[in-house]
Amino acid sequence: MQVLEFDTVIIGSGLAGLSAAYKAANFGTVAIVTKSQLDTSNSYYAQGGIAAAIAQDDSPLQHLRDTMVSGRGICDRDAVEILVNEGKERVLELIDEGMAFDKENDDFVLGLEGGHSKRRILHAGGDATGKELTCFKLGLVKEKANVQAFEYVAAIRLLQNDQCIQGVQTYDFKTKENIIFKSKAVILATGGLSRIFERSTNPHTATGDGIALAYAAGAQIADLEFIQFHPSALYVPGKDAYLISEAVRGEGAWLLNHEGERFMKDIHPLAELAPRDVVAYSIFRQIQKSGKKHIFLSLKHLDKDKIRKRFSNIDKHLKEYGFNMTEDLLPISPAAHYMVGGVHTNLDAETNISGLFACGEVASTGVMGANRLASNSLLECLVFGKRASEKAAKQNTPDFELSIPEPVYVDSENEQLFLQYQNEMALMMAENLGIVRNKPSLQKALDRFTEIEASFEPEVNEYNLIKIRNTATICKLIAQAALIREESRGGHIREDFQKENPDFKVHILQQKGKNYQLETVRE
C-alpha cells in the first residue's frame, strides 16, 4: 500500500479547498484529494455570486445585520463579524490578484439577492461566478510547485491515534489501489450533502462524505437539521433540477401561482427577495394549494436584451430544455440546495479532534445560523479556507507510528445494491425531511435509516457498502436533529411546532457514541 507524506492534506477541490491549498502552500507541502475532477464542486456551479460590502453606501456592519436576520437567531455574532470584515479583505485581495469580476464603466456591477438590504453581490461571466472564481483560484494553486492534486481519489477513513489525526486512507479509482496520506493536519473541504435528496441542485459529488468521515472519527456535528431548499429550480418531469439563480429575482423576476398572481407581495415586504426559507416555504404552500408540481417564474416584463446578457448561461441552458427565458413562464419548484450545518468548528476552522479542520459548506462555523444569506457561501470559503490553512500550519502532532488499515476494494456486483439503497433513502429524505416536517414522518425515516445503517458493519471494506452505510448515517443524523428541534426556524419547519421557540436558540451538537448536546448561540 502506497504511503505519501504531506504537511497538509485537503479533501475536496471546491473554492474552500482551493483557498486553503493556496494559503497552505506558504507553509509546506500540500495534497488536494478529490473523488472527481478538480473542477467538479458546488462552488463551480454557483451562479449568483459572492457577497461583499465593497460599495460606498454599504458596510460590513450592514452585511452583518442582513446575515443575522436571515440566520433567525442561530448565527454566532463573532463568526459573522469575521465573515463580513475579513470577507471584504479576501475579495479585495482576489481583485488585486487579477480576478475579473464584471464591470460597467469601470465600476463593479453589484447584484441584489434575497435578504440583502444593499446591492453587494459581485459576479463574473454574468451568471457563471462559481466557474470563473473556481477556475481563477485553481490557476493560482497550479502555480504552486509544492501543491499536488490527486483526482479520482476518494477519502475513505481518517486515521488517528489518541485523538490526533495522522492522515487519511483513500481509494484511487484509476489504479484501483489504496493510498495512505500521512499528515499532521487534514482539512475537510468536501462540500455539502444535498444530493442525498431525490431532488437537488447539487452535482453528483455532493453526498456528505465529509460529514461521514468526521462523524466516524469522533468529530462533533452541528445544526444538521437546517437544510436550505433553493426556491427557484426548474421543474421538468424526469430531469434533474436545474438551478435558476436568485440573482434573476434580484433583477426583477416575479413568482406567479397558477392563477397568475404574485403571491409573495402579500407574504413579505421584500416580496420575491425575502430570505430563501420564507420564499421556499411560500412556494411549497402554493404547490400544495394548487395540487400541481410547480409554480412559475416570469421575466416577461423585463428588458429582454439586458436579461439575456446578464444571464447568458442560464438562457442557453433553458433553451436546451425548450424554454425561452424572456418569453415563457418557467416552471419551478424548490430543491435541496445547501447544508447549513456541518462539522462543528471554532473560529479557526478547528474541530474537536486535534489536527482535523473543516471549511466551506462541510463546516458549521456559526456564520449561517438557521438559514444562509444568499451568496455568503463563496465568501465563507475564502475566509475560513485561509483561517484553516494558517492554523493547520501551526499544528504540532506527536510523531506516532502510522498504523496501516485493511485495504478498501470495489466489488462491481454491489453497485446495483448501492443504487437501490441510494434511491430508497433519497425518496425518504424527500418525503419525510423536505421543506415541511412532522414527528411521525421523522420517526418513520429515522427508524428506517437506523435499520439500514445497522445492516452494514462499521469495519466493512467494500466501497459500495461503505457508501450505503455512510449515507444511512448522514440521513439518520439529519432526522435525529430534526426530531430534537421542536420548533420552526429557518430551513427547518415543523408543522407540529409552527413557531420559533426561544428555548431552541441553540446549536444541536451530535457526536458518535454520545448523547446530543445543546450549545448556546454566541450573541
Side-chain angles (χ1 to χ4, degrees):
M1 193 180 297
Q2 190 177 16
V3 178
L4 304 176
E5 189 165 354
F6 290 86
D7 292 306
T8 305
V9 173
I10 296 165
I11 306 174
S13 61
L15 186 60
L18 294 174
S19 297
Y22 182 61
K23 298 297 183 181
N26 295 328
F27 309 109
T29 56
V30 181
I32 302 176
V33 176
T34 179
K35 68 176 179 179
S36 186
Q37 293 172 294
L38 282 171
D39 59 1
T40 301
S41 66
N42 276 348
S43 303
Y44 185 85
Y45 291 100
Q47 298 169 343
I50 184 167
I54 66 168
Q56 291 288 331
D57 65 343
D58 199 2
S59 70
L61 179 59
Q62 189 58 55
H63 190 181
L64 177 142
R65 289 171 179 157
D66 292 345
T67 300
M68 299 285 282
V69 169
S70 283
R72 299 300 180 94
I74 307 294
C75 295
D76 292 313
R77 186 182 178 93
D78 52 358
V80 180
E81 286 175 345
I82 288 170
L83 177 78
V84 298
N85 286 290
E86 293 186 14
K88 180 179 178 180
E89 293 174 12
R90 297 288 77 75
V91 168
L92 293 175
E93 184 179 79
L94 267 179
I95 293 167
D96 287 343
E97 290 169 341
M99 175 61 200
F101 290 108
D102 292 342
K103 284 185 171 184
E104 197 169 275
N105 300 324
D106 291 328
D107 293 322
F108 290 110
V109 179
L110 300 176
L112 181 67
E113 294 183 6
H116 290 273
S117 59
K118 299 284 185 180
R119 284 188 169 268
R120 65 168 66 98
I121 317 301
L122 292 116
H123 49 81
D127 52 0
T129 309
K131 177 182 176 182
E132 297 292 331
L133 184 50
T134 304
C135 288
F136 174 76
K137 204 72 177 180
L138 183 56
L140 295 179
V141 170
K142 285 181 175 179
E143 293 175 0
K144 300 285 189 179
N146 56 340
V147 177
Q148 189 172 350
F150 296 83
E151 294 183 304
Y152 299 104
V153 176
I156 305 297
R157 292 187 185 96
L158 295 171
L159 305 177
Q160 58 192 129
N161 190 317
D162 290 344
Q163 285 298 298
C164 289
I165 288 297
Q166 292 182 295
V168 59
Q169 180 183 9
T170 70
Y171 181 82
D172 188 328
F173 291 111
K174 301 186 297 294
T175 65
K176 298 180 171 47
E177 298 289 338
N178 283 225
I179 304 174
I180 300 294
F181 290 88
K182 184 180 179 182
S183 180
K184 65 178 183 178
V186 172
I187 300 177
L188 295 175
T190 51
L193 51 64
S194 291
R195 198 69 186 193
I196 65 173
F197 285 83
E198 185 181 41
R199 179 171 161 79
S200 169
T201 63
N202 287 190
H204 66 278
T205 52
T207 51
D209 296 5
I211 299 294
L213 284 168
Y215 182 76
Q220 292 179 330
I221 310 298
D223 299 341
L224 215 55
E225 67 274 26
F226 297 119
I227 304 293
Q228 187 175 84
F229 290 81
H230 199 288
S232 52
L234 187 69
Y235 178 81
V236 177
K239 300 284 187 181
D240 277 350
Y242 174 68
L243 176 67
I244 300 177
S245 172
E246 190 159 304
V248 172
R249 281 178 279 130
E251 296 302 325
W254 292 343
L255 294 172
L256 305 177
N257 61 22
H258 284 267
E259 282 71 50
E261 302 164 335
R262 278 186 69 194
F263 56 90
M264 284 304 302
K265 289 196 303 178
D266 300 324
I267 294 171
H268 195 281
L270 294 176
E272 282 86 358
L273 289 177
R276 283 184 183 172
D277 57 329
V278 176
V279 180
Y281 177 67
S282 301
I283 293 173
F284 174 82
R285 286 301 187 207
Q286 290 291 327
I287 288 172
Q288 277 192 321
K289 182 180 174 182
S290 70
K292 309 289 186 182
K293 298 286 188 180
H294 59 82
I295 61 152
F296 297 103
L297 183 72
S298 176
L299 293 82
K300 297 166 76 170
H301 57 288
L302 301 176
D303 185 309
K304 293 175 175 50
D305 291 336
K306 180 182 176 182
I307 290 298
R308 289 195 189 100
K309 180 182 178 183
R310 171 72 174 85
F311 303 109
S312 58
N313 288 285
I314 296 175
D315 182 40
K316 178 184 175 183
H317 201 96
L318 289 173
K319 284 177 181 175
E320 293 173 4
Y321 281 92
F323 294 104
N324 184 318
M325 186 176 184
T326 59
E327 298 288 347
D328 296 334
L329 291 176
L330 305 173
I332 61 164
S333 70
H337 180 63
Y338 189 87
M339 175 180 72
V340 179
V343 182
H344 187 46
T345 72
N346 64 14
L347 299 178
D348 287 317
E350 290 179 291
T351 72
N352 58 298
I353 298 175
S354 178
L356 181 63
F357 301 79
C359 58
E361 188 173 351
V362 72
S364 179
T365 59
V367 301
M368 299 305 180
N371 173 58
R372 174 175 69 89
L373 180 65
S375 289
N376 268 356
S377 51
L378 294 180
L379 194 68
E380 185 190 33
C381 291
L382 295 178
V383 171
F384 289 94
K386 178 178 185 290
R387 283 183 159 249
S389 63
E390 290 176 343
K391 192 67 175 181
K394 299 174 183 176
Q395 188 71 28
N396 291 316
T397 304
D399 189 20
F400 293 116
E401 183 178 342
L402 186 67
S403 55
I404 304 298
E406 289 293 313
V408 169
Y409 64 98
V410 174
D411 183 348
S412 59
E413 291 188 6
N414 286 328
E415 288 178 5
Q416 198 58 42
L417 182 67
F418 164 70
L419 290 174
Q420 176 186 324
Y421 276 108
Q422 181 190 46
N423 291 337
E424 179 190 352
M425 288 188 280
L427 182 59
M428 290 206 74
M429 289 298 291
E431 292 179 344
N432 302 293
L433 284 120
I435 292 176
V436 176
R437 304 157 175 182
N438 60 58
K439 184 174 182 177
S441 63
L442 289 172
Q443 190 63 57
K444 173 187 172 185
L446 176 59
D447 291 344
R448 180 56 181 149
F449 297 143
T450 303
E451 182 181 29
I452 295 171
E453 181 190 52
S455 300
F456 300 91
E457 294 294 328
E459 294 79 20
V460 68
N461 286 313
E462 199 282 315
Y463 181 68
N464 290 288
L465 303 185
I466 291 171
K467 286 200 295 181
I468 295 171
R469 181 180 170 83
N470 283 350
T471 303
T473 298
I474 294 162
C475 294
K476 183 187 79 170
L477 289 171
I478 298 172
Q480 284 176 334
L483 268 171
I484 293 165
R485 187 171 289 279
E486 294 182 337
E487 66 163 355
S488 291
R489 187 188 295 267
H492 169 73
I493 299 171
R494 290 277 299 261
E495 59 187 1
D496 45 354
F497 298 95
Q498 296 186 9
K499 295 182 179 179
E500 288 184 5
N501 181 344
D503 292 340
F504 278 99
K505 201 171 180 181
V506 294
H507 302 292
I508 295 175
L509 306 185
Q510 296 163 285
Q511 190 174 0
K512 185 179 178 181
K514 296 186 178 182
N515 292 329
Y516 72 87
Q517 300 175 48
L518 301 180
E519 182 179 88
T520 304
V521 172
R522 302 188 301 275
E523 296 183 281

